[in-house]
């Protein structure tokens, strides 16, 4: 089955700096890669996703890149703000809405 | 966006008792729902796939007789933790897909504490 590795496990950045989180996956059949933000005790919130036919996607301060050949995908957050502090999870699946395999999570702390 | 609701949001039960958690899709029909478990400071791990009108599909290592799943209608799946033990204490979250190849929508989660 699918295996998703996520790094780093914790990330501390100064407000205004950029944050980058990287994930790798094992199943070449995976073609949908969502990123979730989860605050303590809350449900995961989809912040951006990318499908395998696209190499990059951007939404305001958030961008995701995908390298299908290397089975890597990354989340980039620019101009970080304290409210970006949360745990971020990457995931992979064969089709959107299907069962997800999550990475281990990255705890992001944005220091004011 | 679509809404998936879980009930209860939190529950405390005694060891040996059973607890039922409901997952409802409020504004769409879901033939498939997924149940995940999340231990503190860990990731979400898929427990099972709930299929409307048929048996659930459990992931390796998940006891089907302990975690009973029923998906009796297109808007409701239930997870019953039977004979709960303290090690079952966790955050249980369901998700549902609104249509093929569309994003998953998560319930708000249920925090189960077994004492």
């Amino acid at each position: 089955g699918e295996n998703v590795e996520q790094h780093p496990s914790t990330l501390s950045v100064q407000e205004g700096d950029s944050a980058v989180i990287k994930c790798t996956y094992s199943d070449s059949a995976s073609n949908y890669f969502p990123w979730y933000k989860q605050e303590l005790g809350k449900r995961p919130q989809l912040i951006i996703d990318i499908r395998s036919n696209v190499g990059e996607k951007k939404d305001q301060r958030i961008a995701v890149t995908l390298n299908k050949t290397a089975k890597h995908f990354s989340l980039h957050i620019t101009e970080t703000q304290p409210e970006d502090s949360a745990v971020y999870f990457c995931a992979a699946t064969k089709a959107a809405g299907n069962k997800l395999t999550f990475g281990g999570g990255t705890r992001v702390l944005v220091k004011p | 966006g679509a809404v998936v609701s879980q009930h209860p949001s939190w529950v405390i039960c005694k060891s040996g008792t059973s607890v039922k958690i409901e997952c409802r899709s409020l504004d769409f029909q879901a033939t498939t729902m997924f149940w995940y478990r999340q231990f503190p400071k860990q990731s979400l791990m898929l427990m099972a796939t709930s299929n409307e009108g048929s048996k659930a599909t459990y992931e390796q290592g998940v006891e089907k007789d302990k975690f009973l799943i029923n998906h009796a209608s297109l808007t409701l799946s239930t997870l019953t933790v039977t004979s709960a033990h303290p090690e079952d204490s966790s955050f249980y979250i369901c998700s549902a897909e609104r249509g093929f190849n569309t994003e998953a929508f998560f319930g708000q989660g249920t925090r189960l504490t077994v004492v």
Side-chain angles (χ1 to χ4, degrees):
Chain A
E2 176 67 279
N3 182 51
V4 178
E5 300 281 342
Q6 183 172 344
H7 298 281
S9 57
T10 59
L11 181 59
S12 182
V13 297
Q14 208 64 40
E15 182 177 359
D17 288 350
S18 295
V20 180
I21 304 170
K22 298 183 178 182
C23 289
T24 61
Y25 62 100
S26 62
D27 189 346
S28 57
S30 290
N31 56 24
Y32 176 71
F33 308 92
W35 285 89
Y36 293 91
K37 176 183 181 182
Q38 188 181 32
E39 296 177 352
L40 190 63
K42 301 278 181 71
R43 77 185 85 195
Q45 288 182 293
L46 180 70
I47 56 171
I48 196 167
D49 56 15
I50 192 166
R51 296 175 191 266
S52 60
N53 58 345
V54 175
E56 186 173 354
K57 184 176 178 181
K58 189 175 181 180
D59 183 3
Q60 299 183 6
R61 298 187 295 110
I62 296 173
V64 58
T65 58
L66 171 65
N67 182 328
K68 276 219 77 175
T69 304
K71 298 199 196 103
H72 289 173
F73 57 115
S74 300
L75 177 72
H76 303 251
I77 307 174
T78 58
E79 300 171 32
T80 53
Q81 301 167 4
E83 51 264 38
D84 294 329
S85 296
V87 179
Y88 291 80
F89 292 98
C90 62
T93 182
K94 292 185 176 66
N98 208 329
K99 59 181 180 179
L100 293 163
T101 301
F102 286 87
T106 298
R107 188 170 300 276
V108 173
L109 175 62
V110 180
K111 295 179 287 186
Chain B
V3 178
V4 175
S5 178
Q6 268 181 256
H7 178 81
S9 297
W10 60 270
V11 58
I12 301 173
C13 72
K14 291 184 177 180
S15 270
T17 61
S18 295
V19 173
K20 181 185 283 188
I21 302 169
E22 294 185 347
C23 178
R24 291 181 186 273
S25 54
L26 298 186
D27 56 354
F28 65 100
Q29 294 182 331
T31 56
T32 305
M33 293 183 176
F34 303 95
W35 287 97
Y36 296 85
R37 179 168 55 183
Q38 186 177 31
F39 291 110
K41 296 188 179 181
Q42 294 189 25
S43 188
L44 289 83
M45 298 295 291
L46 180 69
M47 298 176 67
T49 302
S50 174
N51 304 298
E52 187 271 333
S54 65
K55 291 183 180 179
T57 305
Y58 290 82
E59 295 300 299
Q60 194 171 11
V62 177
E63 300 174 58
K64 62 180 181 181
D65 294 330
K66 180 171 181 61
F67 299 99
L68 301 179
I69 291 173
N70 185 280
H71 195 151
S73 79
L74 286 169
T75 59
L76 174 63
S77 174
T78 60
L79 168 68
T80 301
V81 183
T82 63
S83 187
H85 289 103
E87 55 264 33
D88 298 323
S89 298
S90 188
F91 194 51
Y92 293 86
I93 311 178
C94 67
S95 76
E97 55 173 347
R98 188 170 193 167
F100 179 71
N101 210 21
T102 59
E103 69 174 280
F105 293 94
F106 284 89
Q108 70 268 43
T110 298
R111 179 155 306 282
L112 169 64
T113 302
V114 184
V115 297

